[in-house]
Amino acid sequence: MSKPPTIVSVPMPCGSTIEIVAPGSFHIPRVLADGGLKNYEVHSTAAALALMERSEGAFYDIGANIGVFSLCVASALRRRCHAYEPFPDAATVLDELQVRYQLPIAVHRKGVGQTAGQAQFYLSDRSDMSNSLNPNFRKHRGVLDVEVTTLEIELKRDKPAVLKIDTETTEDQVITGGLNQIAHHRPSIIVELLNEAIAGKVRKLLLPLGYRCYAIGGGLRLQELSPIETSLEGDGRNWLFSPNPLDQEFADTFNKWRGVLFSI
C-alpha cells in the first residue's frame, strides 16, 4: 500500500511560506516537516544564497530532486534558476510549485552527464535521493529511459553564476561534459562528493582551472583544503569550488543567510 502524500508548509528565507505536496515516500519533504530548512543542508543553502547575492547570472540546480535550493534562490532573491531532474515524480512536484508561486524556475526533466543522448536512470530501492545514472551506486528497484544533456549545451543558453551538482556519484561526468563552458564562465560550484575517488576526479578537473576548494559542512571554513576530507553526513558531503579566493565579506554574507535559515 502506498503512503499518503506528505504535505508540509515551509517558511522561505524571503519571509513567505511554500506548501509542498509530495509522494509520501519522498525523503526531503519528511525532513522539512521535521525541522524546516534548517534541517536540510542549511550551510550549503546559505552558501548558494550568498554566492548568488554576490554574482550575476543564473543558478543551475543539477540533480534538483524537488528543488529546495532552487526554491530558496528563486523565492528569496527572485533570480533565474534552471533545475534538472530526470525523475518524473520529483520534477512534477517542483513544476507545480513553480507555477503555483510564480517562481523564476525552469524545470528541465532530464539528466546531465558527460554526453548528450538517452540513458538509463536507476531508481534506488533505498531512497528517492539515491536515484542515479550510475548503475552501481545503489541497488535499484527500477530503471527509466531518460534524456541526458550536458553543461556544454545548457550553459550556453543562460550565463551561470552558481552550479549546484548532486547526481549521486556522477558529478565528475557532469563537470567533464561542461568543462569548456565552466572555464569560460567560471561559476562557483557547490558539489556533493560522496567518496575520495569522486573527490579526486573533481579536483583534477577544477584545480587546473584555478578553482579553490572550501569545506561547507558545519559552517564555512575560509581556509582552502587539499586533499578533501570527505564525510558521509549531511552538509559534510558538499564542497564549494570557487574561482576566486573567498574573503571575509563573503563569510559575512554567508553567516547572514545561515542566520536567516536557522531563524525560520
Side-chain angles (χ1 to χ4, degrees):
M1 181 181 296
S2 61
K3 297 180 179 179
T6 300
I7 302 174
V8 55
S9 294
V10 183
M12 289 283 112
C14 57
S16 64
T17 297
I18 287 178
E19 183 181 74
I20 297 173
V21 181
S25 60
F26 278 25
H27 178 76
I28 294 174
R30 297 200 304 271
V31 169
L32 296 174
D34 287 340
L37 289 173
K38 61 179 171 288
N39 202 35
Y40 176 74
E41 299 193 1
V42 62
H43 301 101
S44 300
T45 306
L49 288 164
L51 290 165
M52 287 300 296
E53 187 176 353
R54 289 163 49 95
S55 306
E56 295 182 356
F59 181 74
Y60 281 78
D61 194 350
I62 315 299
N65 197 276
I66 65 166
V68 173
F69 281 82
S70 291
L71 291 170
C72 288
V73 170
S75 63
L77 300 175
R78 305 303 301 183
R79 297 287 294 278
R80 300 187 309 281
C81 299
H82 294 274
Y84 295 80
E85 179 50 57
F87 184 38
D89 292 351
T92 295
V93 172
L94 181 55
D95 233 344
E96 292 175 349
L97 290 169
Q98 177 270 322
V99 172
R100 188 188 320 154
Y101 293 99
Q102 294 295 289
L103 297 170
I105 302 172
V107 181
H108 307 274
R109 294 169 177 258
K110 58 184 74 172
V112 181
Q114 186 168 340
T115 58
Q118 295 293 122
Q120 291 189 312
F121 186 63
Y122 298 87
L123 304 179
S124 169
D125 67 356
R126 175 174 173 178
S127 167
D128 64 289
M129 291 183 65
S130 299
N131 299 335
S132 178
L133 290 169
N134 177 3
N136 301 314
F137 177 52
R138 298 261 198 252
K139 291 182 180 179
H140 52 273
R141 59 178 175 81
V143 180
L144 298 177
D145 291 322
V146 300
E147 181 183 356
V148 176
T149 186
T150 68
L151 290 180
E152 187 68 25
I153 295 170
E154 301 301 318
L155 298 187
K156 290 178 181 177
R157 298 176 178 173
D158 200 352
K159 176 185 176 181
V162 179
L163 312 180
K164 187 231 79 180
I165 307 174
D166 180 356
T167 57
E168 304 302 295
T169 71
T170 65
E171 290 80 10
D172 61 304
Q173 296 175 38
V174 173
I175 292 169
T176 299
L179 205 58
N180 291 333
Q181 289 298 310
I182 289 172
H184 174 67
H185 292 291
R186 298 184 63 76
S188 299
I189 303 173
I190 296 170
V191 57
E192 181 185 67
L193 302 174
L194 287 179
N195 56 58
E196 182 57 37
I198 301 298
K201 292 176 182 178
V202 170
R203 278 201 306 270
K204 288 180 180 179
L205 291 167
L206 293 179
L207 296 188
L209 300 182
Y211 275 81
R212 297 156 170 85
C213 178
Y214 298 89
I216 295 176
L220 187 72
R221 285 179 276 167
L222 285 180
Q223 68 269 32
E224 296 178 41
L225 295 177
S226 183
I228 293 172
E229 306 155 8
T230 53
S231 165
L232 297 183
E233 297 299 327
D235 263 353
R237 301 168 173 173
N238 293 337
W239 297 80
L240 169 57
F241 285 83
S242 174
N244 302 301
L246 298 182
D247 55 20
Q248 188 59 46
E249 182 180 352
F250 173 81
D252 291 343
T253 307
F254 167 84
N255 286 325
K256 176 193 73 174
W257 284 112
R258 184 172 63 166
V260 169
L261 292 165
F262 272 117
S263 70
I264 56 178

